[in-house]
Amino acid sequence: AQSVTQLDSHVSVSEGTPVLLRCNYSSSYSPSLFWYVQHPNKGLQLLLKYTSAATLVKGINGFEAEFKKSETSFHLTKPSAHMSDAAEYFCVVSGSGNTPLVFGKGTRLSVIA
Amino acid sequence: GAGVSQSPSNKVTEKGKDVELRCDPISGHTALYWYRQSLGQGLEFLIYFQGNSAPDKSGLPSDRFSAERTGGSVSTLTIQRTQQEDSAVYLCASSLSKREMNEQFFGPGTRLTVL
């Protein structure tokens, strides 16, 4: 069985400051991990994915995430928040092949001017 | 090229009525998924189609829910005798079938409101 836990339901940062969205996963085998973003009234968009290659994964819009097996974590970071980053972020885990994704509960990111 | 499309974008119905939600996946994608996003429940998997194989229906919440995929392309999710707790955004996603991990591409969703 696989699961993800997003440790914060809501994170608020000031524009220009770093972003950290935390995610821990549980998987009985080597997982594939993703971060998706959902802007208000928009569809889910893939930010980045980890599939057992490099442990530091770079995504779109300046986001990156580091896979840490020892900590079972896959935290999402960005050095400097922008107003347009305000959205809901989902940490997601999947097994091999085309298995359905298992979503975390989501973290709502607010960016204050 | 075109992404995943869903129709209608919004659906308001009365309790007890049946509804059909449609999903057009990306051309060439053999895997198709339905998810539901509701307040307090997050995003949950409903059903999954892979090529001509029997669908994985393990996520369907009750026998009022069913889905089919005709010709390996378009899919329809049907909810019979709708209840207020069915109100949610229903998301469809598709992906290529390949050995390495696929990316699922999501449609914009159908917002269902049951009065």
Side-chain angles (χ1 to χ4, degrees), chain B residues 18-112:
Chain B
D18 298 350
V19 295
E20 285 190 353
L21 312 179
R22 177 187 168 104
C23 172
D24 278 276
I26 293 173
S27 178
H29 282 193
T30 60
L32 186 149
Y33 313 78
W34 283 98
Y35 296 87
R36 178 169 72 174
Q37 185 175 26
S38 51
L39 286 174
Q41 296 295 321
L43 237 150
E44 54 182 337
F45 159 73
L46 296 177
I47 186 169
Y48 156 53
F49 296 88
Q50 173 58 60
N52 295 321
S53 302
D56 176 355
K57 304 179 182 179
S58 60
L60 295 178
S62 79
D63 58 8
R64 296 186 295 105
F65 287 71
S66 62
E68 61 179 23
R69 188 178 185 193
T70 54
S73 181
V74 171
S75 177
T76 302
L77 177 70
T78 302
I79 309 174
Q80 295 178 309
R81 305 181 303 282
T82 52
Q83 303 295 312
Q84 288 183 331
E85 62 262 29
D86 299 334
S87 297
V89 176
Y90 290 82
L91 294 168
C92 176
S94 70
S95 67
L96 287 168
S97 176
K98 54 186 180 181
R99 289 187 62 189
E100 63 272 24
M101 193 55 229
N102 53 286
E103 174 184 347
Q104 293 185 19
F105 294 83
F106 283 81
T110 294
R111 181 175 297 278
L112 175 66

Side-chain angles (χ1 to χ4, degrees), chain A residues 27 29 49 52 66 69 71 77 91-92 112:
Chain A
S27 179
Y29 41 82
K49 64 180 178 182
S52 76
E66 186 172 7
K69 187 175 180 179
E71 299 177 8
T77 61
C91 183
V92 183
I112 304 166

